[in-house]
Amino acid sequence: MLILSLFALGASLTVQADAPAQTSTEDGLITAERIYREVEGGPIIAEGDVRAASNGQFLRADRIIYDQENDRVIAVGNVAGRDESGQLYFAEEATLTGDLRNGVIEGFEAQLPPNGTLAAATAVRRASGKNQLNRVVYTLCEVCNDGFWAGRPTWQLKARNVTQDETAKKLRFTNAFLEVYGVPTLYIPYIEVPDPSVKRAAGFLAPQIQSSTRTGIEIETPYYLPISDYQDILFSPRHHSRLGTLIKGEWRRNTWNSQAQVQAGIINPTNDLTEEPGNPDDVRWHWFSRYTRALPGGWELEADIDGVSDKGYLLTYDIEPTGDLQEELPILRPDRLTSNLSFRRTTENSSTDVTGYVFQTLRFNENQDFTAQALPRLRHKHYFNLPVGEASIDASFLALERTEGLDSMRMSANAQYSVVKLTDSGHRFEAFAELRGDLYRYENTSGGTQACNPERGGFASCSQELPRGLEDEEFIFGRFLPTIGAEWSYPLAKVGQRTSFIVAPRVQAVISPTRDFSDDVFNDDSQSFQFDQVTLFDYNKSSGLDLWEDGQRVNVGLATTASFGQSLTIETMLGAQFRAEETEAFGPDRGLGERTSDVVGAVDFRVGRNIVLDNRFRIDKNTGQFRRVENSLRGNLGPLSGSLDYLRIQSDEALGTVQRLDEFLTIGANLVLTRNISFAATQAQNLDSGSTTNTQVALRIANRCGAVSFRYRFDDSTIGGFEQNRVLLVKFDLLGFN
């Protein structure tokens, strides 16, 4: 120990004249300008830049007096010390026991790694590790160097009494005030915060306050609880002044072979539920979860379970999944929730997938009883690298069940082969072939589907458009689907010192039987089909297996790229399909199926590193009108960045005497006003109706120590009962409290 080292030196000393002194013992090293005793057997005195080090401890002062008889150490003037735990502390004067574990320190200041500062008028140090501090100031922030707030940290806690528990790594404040830039803002009777060195500690996080015209005043008070090094819980109840208290939280677990995350909530509403659409129950809830686990033999288990109590729940309580679960749902306000349990195995040349899907519709005009559930879907695919070309075979099974309406089973087998040849002059030739067979079994066809069933209007007319007019209650149907084709492309390039040009024509010819089977097969898995430049060269353009692209056709496209150094790049693509005979496989308004299709294309611009403009379009082959336009602009200029997204879809379907038109515009901007202040705004508009559907404005003031955010959001929903909602959110983030 330090003082034992000092005693070992002083035991042999008598009264000495001034002389520089330095000595070392088995326990440590002591240096000072002089070390002496005023009287024989009296206290040992070290003066003049006294430094003592031993066994991980360090003490420095202008003067140190060791009273051996009372086992007391007095350090005076510019006292600095480091204890066995590595904590640094400073003081004007300290009176300690010989082992430095007990005593009183005046003008105390401690550095709490990595960035904490703790100062007190007096500190009582105890061997138990529970030190008592009086008139305390604590912060994790640096002091501002300039501006109006010069000399003040972003925030600090001032308290009359603080207990520093070195063992539990906690600071307990009594009668404290939170000061922001030197201004008292909040009185806190009692608060407990973790030592800055603690990465994960239990405690309350900063509250979130929100005002909504739909839910009233909202206050969310999160509490974080670490269970272990790989598991934690966030309990974050939210009180709504108009709706009651939503009890919600999140549980996470991450081990070497598995990951689990659950976000869930439940509420017993206090409002009148008869006024809400969807006929919600007295108890409302949500559940979002994901679980993955590595299994023996290269298998992987994945379970994604998402559900809500009723269709209006997410809109009413403004709930959305966060973190990794947010990525699992395709959009924040989906029109349906998908749950699945999957077993997957992937090897170098094969893939196997066994999955069950359950869907929950959130559309108010849909009946959950007519929503199909995939129980199960089985798929296996094997790849072969042949001496010439590549081949694959795959098989699948799908069973779709509904509480009411159509039930079906489908078995499918498929063999594919392709070979690519490149010539010395740059021509690329590809030949491909596919042999596929499907076998369907249908039951209870008269019950209809989600889009056409006896509980919806117009069932008599829409049922005639479904296979066999729903006259066969159950039937089995098989089909054989061969396809062969070839493709040619020839990129032509001219490269200069500062400019380059590439022109790439591409032609694909495909031959299939001339029959689309729409009179015998229900289209359950290929509803979301879009004809554009991306799907142009898919020889079967459907998104699933039920829809089949038949007949003889040629897909033609021309892509170009022009680069002018680093300043400008222009990429274009135009294409269309030409058919030997028309087909009704795709239905109206798709721009595909007649002898000549609509023209699809894209024109993209890259201006330096600051501006990106992407354009996608479909042009009517007869009128030359744009039937679909998608524009996306991204750019930044110094502190200002922005975005613009435009979508326009024109349909032949008429609403009365007016042609159907969907037109949307979304604008966003972000402005960095200073290093610590930023402003952002977005607005979404339905140009067809002339209404603003969503507006958001946010102001954030932040530095490395804390932040405050103000957000305003306006929602104008088209769903009955959710016409408008205005939300004002205030959120605080303080380093050390979040």
Side-chain angles (χ1 to χ4, degrees), residues 275-294:
E275 299 180 358
E276 293 222 14
N279 299 317
D281 295 331
D282 292 338
V283 177
R284 310 179 75 178
W285 53 268
H286 72 273
W287 178 283
F288 305 125
S289 66
R290 186 170 191 263
Y291 176 74
T292 60
R293 185 180 183 87

Side-chain angles (χ1 to χ4, degrees), residues 99-143:
D99 59 5
L100 305 183
R101 296 181 181 277
N102 294 276
V104 178
I105 303 174
E106 297 182 7
F108 173 81
E109 181 179 338
Q111 299 297 323
L112 307 180
N115 56 351
T117 301
L118 183 66
T122 60
V124 179
R125 183 173 176 82
R126 296 189 173 95
S128 64
K130 295 183 179 180
N131 306 321
Q132 190 65 44
L133 289 73
N134 302 304
R135 291 188 294 168
V136 180
V137 175
Y138 171 73
T139 186
L140 300 177
C141 307
E142 295 179 352
V143 174

Side-chain angles (χ1 to χ4, degrees), residues 681-734:
T682 61
Q683 186 176 82
Q685 295 183 341
N686 186 332
L687 300 181
D688 184 35
S689 63
S691 62
T692 298
T693 59
N694 181 274
T695 300
Q696 298 190 55
V697 179
L699 176 66
R700 180 176 173 84
I701 304 172
N703 59 22
R704 61 170 296 276
C705 192
V708 57
S709 303
F710 303 91
R711 299 179 186 175
Y712 169 79
R713 188 178 81 239
F714 167 76
D715 292 317
D716 189 4
S717 174
T718 58
I719 301 175
F722 298 97
E723 284 76 11
Q724 288 188 350
N725 186 35
R726 290 177 171 82
V727 178
L728 178 62
L729 169 67
V730 180
K731 184 178 181 182
F732 300 94
D733 296 290
L734 298 178

Side-chain angles (χ1 to χ4, degrees), residues 113-173:
N115 56 351
T117 301
L118 183 66
T122 60
V124 179
R125 183 173 176 82
R126 296 189 173 95
S128 64
K130 295 183 179 180
N131 306 321
Q132 190 65 44
L133 289 73
N134 302 304
R135 291 188 294 168
V136 180
V137 175
Y138 171 73
T139 186
L140 300 177
C141 307
E142 295 179 352
V143 174
C144 298
N145 296 323
D146 50 24
F148 182 78
W149 307 113
R152 300 182 179 92
T154 302
W155 66 264
Q156 62 183 5
L157 274 177
K158 284 187 175 181
R160 181 174 299 176
N161 299 299
V162 172
T163 299
Q164 181 190 20
D165 192 332
E166 295 180 341
T167 303
K169 297 290 185 181
K170 292 181 179 180
L171 299 171
R172 301 181 179 94
F173 294 78

Side-chain angles (χ1 to χ4, degrees), residues 604-614 632-635:
D604 301 333
F605 297 88
R606 303 290 186 272
V607 181
R609 299 181 179 179
N610 298 325
I611 299 177
V612 176
L613 175 60
D614 294 331
S632 176
L633 175 64
R634 301 287 185 273

Side-chain angles (χ1 to χ4, degrees), residues 117-402:
T117 301
L118 183 66
T122 60
V124 179
R125 183 173 176 82
R126 296 189 173 95
S128 64
K130 295 183 179 180
N131 306 321
Q132 190 65 44
L133 289 73
N134 302 304
R135 291 188 294 168
V136 180
V137 175
Y138 171 73
T139 186
L140 300 177
C141 307
E142 295 179 352
V143 174
C144 298
N145 296 323
D146 50 24
F148 182 78
W149 307 113
R152 300 182 179 92
T154 302
W155 66 264
Q156 62 183 5
L157 274 177
K158 284 187 175 181
R160 181 174 299 176
N161 299 299
V162 172
T163 299
Q164 181 190 20
D165 192 332
E166 295 180 341
T167 303
K169 297 290 185 181
K170 292 181 179 180
L171 299 171
R172 301 181 179 94
F173 294 78
T174 304
N175 294 324
F177 278 92
L178 174 64
E179 290 188 356
V180 179
Y181 289 116
V183 179
T185 57
L186 181 64
Y187 170 71
I188 308 174
Y190 176 84
I191 186 173
E192 182 179 283
V193 299
D195 185 282
S197 63
V198 178
K199 295 182 178 180
R200 301 165 68 245
F204 285 97
L205 307 183
Q208 179 174 297
I209 303 173
Q210 180 171 293
S211 175
S212 168
T213 56
R214 182 179 297 157
T215 63
I217 302 297
E218 300 180 15
I219 300 178
E220 185 170 316
T221 53
Y223 183 85
Y224 177 74
L225 177 63
I227 302 175
S228 64
D229 292 340
Y230 56 87
Q231 191 171 196
D232 58 20
I233 291 177
L234 179 64
F235 180 63
S236 51
R238 181 197 297 171
H239 178 72
H240 311 79
S241 62
R242 296 183 180 177
L243 306 179
T245 301
L246 174 65
I247 306 300
K248 66 183 184 71
E250 178 180 19
W251 170 72
R252 300 183 301 177
R253 187 174 185 270
N254 191 354
T255 66
W256 66 274
N257 67 344
S258 67
Q259 291 182 333
Q261 187 174 5
V262 175
Q263 296 172 9
I266 188 170
I267 185 173
N268 187 358
T270 59
N271 60 311
D272 184 4
L273 296 180
T274 60
E275 299 180 358
E276 293 222 14
N279 299 317
D281 295 331
D282 292 338
V283 177
R284 310 179 75 178
W285 53 268
H286 72 273
W287 178 283
F288 305 125
S289 66
R290 186 170 191 263
Y291 176 74
T292 60
R293 185 180 183 87
L295 301 176
W299 286 88
E300 179 180 347
L301 166 66
E302 178 180 309
D304 291 322
I305 310 299
D306 301 315
V308 293
S309 58
D310 56 88
K311 298 175 181 179
Y313 176 88
L314 297 180
L315 281 171
T316 298
Y317 299 99
D318 197 19
I319 294 294
E320 62 187 35
T322 59
D324 294 337
L325 294 186
Q326 187 179 76
E327 300 175 2
E328 295 303 313
L329 295 178
I331 52 178
L332 298 184
R333 290 290 181 265
D335 59 1
R336 68 176 54 197
L337 296 177
T338 303
S339 299
N340 68 273
L341 176 64
S342 302
F343 293 90
R344 298 189 180 98
R345 183 175 183 267
T346 302
T347 66
E348 184 178 353
N349 56 5
S350 68
S351 63
T352 306
D353 184 352
V354 180
T355 303
Y357 287 96
V358 174
F359 303 97
Q360 179 182 8
T361 181
L362 301 182
R363 296 179 178 179
F364 287 93
N365 62 344
E366 290 186 349
N367 188 334
Q368 178 66 28
D369 291 341
F370 289 92
T371 299
Q373 315 298 340
L375 302 170
R377 185 195 67 180
L378 312 177
R379 296 189 303 184
H380 178 77
K381 190 168 188 177
H382 199 93
Y383 304 89
F384 302 90
N385 290 319
L386 304 178
V388 179
E390 297 179 346
S392 67
I393 58 173
D394 63 83
S396 65
F397 172 82
L398 175 66
L400 295 179
E401 298 181 6
R402 295 173 171 88

Side-chain angles (χ1 to χ4, degrees), residues 509-699:
V510 186
I511 300 175
S512 300
T514 307
R515 183 183 175 188
D516 60 31
F517 301 99
S518 58
D519 292 335
D520 296 291
V521 175
F522 289 84
N523 181 10
D524 274 320
D525 68 355
S526 303
Q527 296 289 337
S528 56
F529 164 76
Q530 180 61 46
F531 177 50
D532 55 21
Q533 85 287 351
V534 176
T535 59
L536 174 63
F537 289 99
D538 293 341
Y539 60 83
N540 183 14
K541 296 178 174 56
S542 65
S543 56
L545 298 182
D546 292 339
L547 180 63
W548 167 257
E549 184 176 5
D550 64 321
Q552 294 77 53
R553 63 268 190 196
V554 176
N555 302 311
V556 179
L558 178 67
T560 67
T561 301
S563 299
F564 303 90
Q566 300 294 325
S567 59
L568 177 63
T569 300
I570 304 174
E571 298 179 346
T572 68
M573 193 277 178
L574 285 175
Q577 182 183 90
F578 302 91
R579 302 183 60 85
E581 297 180 7
E582 294 185 359
T583 179
E584 297 181 355
F586 301 103
D589 296 329
R590 299 297 180 92
L592 188 68
E594 298 184 14
R595 296 284 295 274
T596 302
S597 73
D598 288 348
V599 177
V600 294
V603 180
D604 301 333
F605 297 88
R606 303 290 186 272
V607 181
R609 299 181 179 179
N610 298 325
I611 299 177
V612 176
L613 175 60
D614 294 331
N615 304 277
R616 306 285 184 267
F617 53 83
R618 177 162 63 89
I619 303 175
D620 189 285
K621 62 184 180 300
N622 298 317
T623 65
Q625 294 181 335
F626 286 93
R627 304 297 298 274
R628 183 182 181 93
V629 178
E630 296 178 68
N631 305 119
S632 176
L633 175 64
R634 301 287 185 273
N636 63 81
L637 180 62
L640 177 64
S641 60
S643 63
L644 184 149
D645 294 287
Y646 174 77
L647 172 64
R648 181 178 183 273
I649 305 173
Q650 183 174 312
S651 171
D652 286 335
E653 180 184 350
L655 301 177
T657 59
V658 181
Q659 190 178 49
R660 179 178 175 182
L661 177 67
D662 295 318
E663 193 171 17
F664 305 95
L665 176 67
T666 303
I667 303 174
N670 185 80
L671 176 63
V672 179
L673 298 172
T674 68
R675 185 179 64 177
N676 298 329
I677 303 176
S678 61
F679 175 82
T682 61
Q683 186 176 82
Q685 295 183 341
N686 186 332
L687 300 181
D688 184 35
S689 63
S691 62
T692 298
T693 59
N694 181 274
T695 300
Q696 298 190 55
V697 179
L699 176 66

